[in-house]
Amino acid sequence: MQEKTYSVTQAGPLLPFLLEQIRGQSRNNVKSLLTRGQVQVDGVTVTRHDHPLEPGQVVVIRPQGSREAKAPFPVLYEDQRLLVIEKPAGLLSMASDREKVRTAYRMATDYVRRSQSKGRLFIVHRLDRDTSGVLLFAKDEQTKRAYQDRWDTLVSRRGYLAVVEGRPPRETDTIRTLLRENAAHKVYSVRSGGKEAITHYTTLSAGTEYTLLEVDIRTGRKNQIRAHLSELGCPVAGDQDYGAATDPLGRLCLHAHELALTDPFTGEQRLFRAAAPKGFRSLAR
């Protein structure tokens, strides 16, 4: 079977569209094309029979066994507007003065362009280099602006998992301070002249040396969680810059595991999740 391309002229679900376009094959055979991942809509592989089509979209049926584009990290969600990945620890979200190539943005763009030669990505938000977890990109400038212009109102939750040294004085609490960055790029709390930062945490489990916290940030200041937990006397494990004495997993034990937001175009509530990294839960037993 050779690759075939079809243009969508009217709205409707994907399966009836395929049955109309592919004559001479049974319904089960057409369904199997979806099951095997041979159908793409605007360059994105689709397996749902009821996937909605809109006029102007392009449907491609690829030969069985054709090589699919593989991402160098887990893809949590992808459609025509968004790409949501799980960024590994140690990888910059975007280029810096010192690193231009090995970034999540560059690697995600390469992934998109393997299926869409002219595909583009736009940065919506960022994670620190050493923090892993949910990272969202837009596939067009309109989507990027829609999220960035209303980020604080659209995002209802930015949830993190943190393994910290010791145990916080309270099982759950909210830390509210003003943060400032010094010349060495370290963030710390001040009485005046800083930017407000609000961090809420809840203890999930605790061991003899480490505690696993669920952290919810109400503001998105640089190194906010790391600074607040360090000042609480419980630095994030592996965070030598903020006073950690141990490095049990060979990485910063901070992971962005949930991002809940409202779709600016449909009003739909979306929740993107990335499972806890290996070792996080076992440390706090």
Side-chain angles (χ1 to χ4, degrees):
M1 176 184 177
Q2 295 182 340
E3 182 172 294
K4 295 183 179 180
T5 301
Y6 305 96
S7 297
V8 179
T9 58
Q10 61 183 27
L14 178 57
L15 182 57
F17 174 85
L18 293 174
L19 292 170
E20 177 67 25
Q21 301 297 326
I22 307 172
R23 301 301 180 97
Q25 292 199 40
S26 69
R27 185 182 182 91
N28 285 338
N29 284 343
V30 174
K31 282 184 175 180
S32 69
L33 296 174
L34 290 163
T35 303
R36 291 194 297 262
Q38 290 178 247
V39 180
Q40 291 188 336
V41 179
D42 286 351
V44 177
T45 300
V46 175
T47 58
R48 285 177 46 191
H49 300 169
D50 61 348
H51 180 85
L53 297 178
E54 298 293 338
Q57 290 186 312
V58 175
V59 177
V60 174
I61 300 177
R62 309 181 72 197
Q64 187 175 1
S66 59
R67 187 177 179 183
E68 294 290 334
K70 297 295 183 182
F73 29 59
V75 174
L76 303 175
Y77 178 83
E78 184 175 6
D79 63 16
Q80 284 71 37
R81 289 187 180 275
L82 294 177
L83 174 66
V84 185
I85 69 165
E86 181 178 346
K87 186 187 82 67
L91 185 67
L92 284 169
S93 294
M94 58 183 289
S96 68
D97 291 339
R98 295 183 178 180
E99 179 59 70
K100 304 292 185 183
V101 177
R102 191 178 179 276
T103 68
Y105 170 73
R106 178 68 175 269
M107 295 163 75
T109 299
D110 289 344
Y111 157 73
V112 168
R113 286 179 176 170
R114 285 199 289 271
S115 56
Q116 292 176 281
S117 60
K118 296 183 179 180
R120 298 181 66 189
L121 282 184
F122 297 83
I123 294 167
V124 177
H125 71 121
R126 289 177 283 179
L127 293 176
D128 291 342
R129 178 202 290 266
D130 296 320
T131 301
S132 58
V134 180
L135 185 62
L136 181 150
F137 296 100
K139 288 188 173 181
D140 59 76
E141 194 163 2
Q142 180 190 19
T143 302
K144 182 195 93 164
R145 289 179 177 175
Y147 278 99
Q148 285 191 337
D149 290 349
R150 299 171 55 200
W151 184 254
D152 290 340
T153 57
L154 291 175
V155 176
S156 57
R157 172 169 163 73
R158 293 183 69 178
Y160 290 75
L161 294 174
V163 178
V164 300
E165 296 180 345
R167 188 164 185 171
R170 297 181 181 178
E171 291 292 299
T172 182
D173 201 2
T174 298
I175 306 169
R176 186 191 302 262
T177 73
L178 300 177
L179 291 181
R180 178 187 294 170
E181 183 177 0
N182 63 20
H185 305 294
K186 185 175 180 179
V187 173
Y188 61 101
S189 294
V190 293
R191 292 188 176 182
S192 62
K195 295 182 179 180
E196 184 181 45
I198 305 171
T199 304
H200 180 78
Y201 73 84
T202 298
T203 300
L204 296 180
S205 61
T208 56
E209 296 181 69
Y210 302 101
T211 302
L212 178 62
L213 302 179
E214 172 85 40
V215 182
D216 186 3
I217 58 173
R218 310 293 168 81
T219 54
R221 308 303 180 198
K222 177 182 176 181
N223 292 353
Q224 172 179 327
I225 296 173
R226 298 165 64 181
H228 275 171
L229 294 179
S230 175
E231 292 170 355
L232 193 66
C234 297
V236 176
D239 193 1
Q240 295 182 350
D241 289 343
Y242 284 85
T246 63
D247 187 10
L249 298 182
R251 57 156 293 179
L252 179 74
C253 291
L254 184 61
H255 178 69
H257 78 125
E258 287 189 352
L259 177 63
L261 46 77
T262 302
D263 188 302
F265 301 101
T266 67
E268 176 186 359
Q269 300 300 307
R270 294 177 176 267
L271 176 60
F272 303 115
R273 283 196 178 107
K278 184 178 180 180
F280 268 42
R281 297 190 186 279
S282 60
L283 281 174
R285 289 178 181 171

